[in-house]
Amino acid sequence: MKNYIRTNKYDKEWISENWMGPNPLILLEELCENMDLKPGMRVLDMGCGRGLTSVFLAKEYGVTVFANDLWIRASDNLKRFEEAGVSDRVFPIHAEAHALPYAENFFDAAVSIDSYHYYGTDEYYLQGTYSKLVKTGGQFGIAVPGFIKEFENGYPDTLKNFWDPDMFTFHSGEWWRHHWEKTGLVKVTSCYDISGIKEIWRPYALWAETNFELPPSLKEEERKMPDFTDMEFLDADTGNDLALIVMTAPKI
Ligand SMILES: C[S@@+](CC[C@H](N)C(=O)[O-])C[C@H]1O[C@@H](n2cnc3c(N)ncnc32)[C@H](O)[C@@H]1O
């Protein structure tokens, strides 16, 4: 795994108390190497979870962040932003991806770490909602779990016993590139699989074996514990078909 210099500065316990998937700071640091964030820019952190990435954006790039999430309460994130000393420039917002409270063209950039696949595979989401939030020439960036290629069934045979219909949102980088570029709204400037993903994912999977809890704000019908652990899922991927994909694209 490459050396993520910015991520390494952050307390490992703080990261593992708050992560909701493979180290979000690593995914964001990788993503930001392909973006041009400047102090004072307004950035949407879409699906920020417990806000690790929002703190990182404010501290590392000096941007103002709207930390948007659904499962995690804005009041809980505000406490974390206060503790991290960034509550003057990181604003917690509780909003669903299809009911966002922002003006059109408000943001200079929108990033989303391990979240966009929950709503963004919808053919109309970029066009109907997401692209409107960022001004022309502004930047989009996502990091999502997926596969190194598309599979006829939607998943590799090795993961058949672990398959949950939610995971049909896992796609290849090429799928994501086409999904965005065909709209003509953005020009994809980078799209690739991060290297060393098992090394990035395993520490989270190990932690989740004993610490995983569903976010308390989930509705009753959504409170279903997964039937398998992330570690079992990773170990089953003997073909190394899983990927963590980053993609960036300015708005045309
Ligand atoms: C796997 S968690 C990742 C959280 C965080 N980015 C991280 O890496 O720790 C996915 C996040 O996406 C958010 N999310 C999922 N569906 C959403 C929706 N429809 N609207 C807004 N946020 C959504 C959830 O609230 C959740 O915090």
Side-chain angles (χ1 to χ4, degrees):
M1 183 169 71
K2 91 183 196 201
N3 188 16
Y4 288 94
I5 299 164
R6 290 178 188 266
T7 299
N8 288 344
K9 291 188 286 186
Y10 290 79
D11 179 45
K12 288 195 170 48
E13 260 180 54
W14 177 71
I15 296 175
S16 61
E17 271 163 22
N18 294 302
W19 59 14
M20 293 171 70
N23 192 327
L25 298 191
I26 289 182
L27 305 193
L28 179 61
E29 183 170 345
E30 180 76 37
L31 181 72
C32 288
E33 285 173 10
N34 301 281
M35 298 180 75
D36 186 19
L37 298 180
K38 296 210 167 67
M41 281 183 167
R42 269 203 297 251
V43 178
L44 173 63
D45 185 2
M46 183 65 188
C48 68
R50 296 195 172 91
L52 289 169
T53 47
S54 312
V55 172
F56 185 93
L57 284 165
K59 288 195 169 175
E60 296 298 319
Y61 303 100
V63 296
T64 299
V65 185
F66 287 72
N68 194 107
D69 203 63
L70 180 65
W71 302 341
I72 303 300
R73 294 184 186 101
S75 309
D76 294 342
N77 275 345
L78 177 61
K79 274 193 213 127
R80 269 183 284 274
F81 299 151
E82 284 168 349
E83 281 162 17
V86 295
S87 57
D88 58 336
R89 54 194 193 281
V90 181
F91 305 111
I93 307 288
H94 181 253
E96 204 281 324
H98 298 85
L100 298 174
Y102 310 108
E104 291 185 9
N105 303 317
F106 183 66
F107 292 105
D108 298 294
V111 303
S112 181
I113 302 298
D114 194 5
S115 176
Y116 192 79
H117 56 298
Y118 287 97
Y119 35 85
T121 57
D122 174 348
E123 288 294 342
Y124 197 62
Y125 188 67
L126 182 68
Q127 192 175 342
T129 302
Y130 206 59
S131 66
K132 295 182 179 166
L133 304 172
V134 169
K135 52 187 76 155
T136 303
Q139 307 161 67
F140 293 99
I142 62 170
V144 285
F147 293 123
I148 57 166
K149 60 180 185 191
E150 289 295 299
F151 290 88
E152 207 172 320
N153 296 336
Y155 50 83
D157 288 346
T158 48
L159 297 179
K160 191 172 178 191
N161 294 337
F162 296 85
W163 205 248
D164 183 293
D166 286 358
M167 294 191 299
F168 280 121
T169 58
F170 280 30
H171 286 287
S172 65
E174 277 314 296
W175 184 92
W176 279 105
R177 174 193 288 277
H178 181 61
H179 184 57
W180 272 14
E181 266 192 340
K182 71 186 175 191
T183 65
L185 297 165
V186 295
K187 167 104 188 87
V188 173
T189 44
S190 64
C191 180
Y192 58 89
D193 300 343
I194 301 176
S195 60
I197 67 134
K198 293 276 168 66
E199 271 179 87
I200 296 171
W201 204 323
R202 277 222 162 81
Y204 170 76
L206 194 62
W207 171 92
E209 294 267 1
T210 44
N211 295 288
F212 180 82
E213 281 174 21
L214 292 168
S217 66
L218 283 188
K219 292 187 204 127
E220 204 45 51
E221 63 272 21
E222 293 166 339
R223 300 197 63 76
K224 179 179 153 284
M225 282 295 275
D227 299 329
F228 51 85
T229 66
D230 267 41
M231 197 55 106
E232 288 168 324
F233 185 62
L234 290 184
D235 285 344
D237 177 38
T238 50
N240 290 320
D241 295 309
L242 283 170
L244 292 168
I245 298 152
V246 296
M247 180 165 76
T248 56
K251 180 169 167 180
I252 298 169

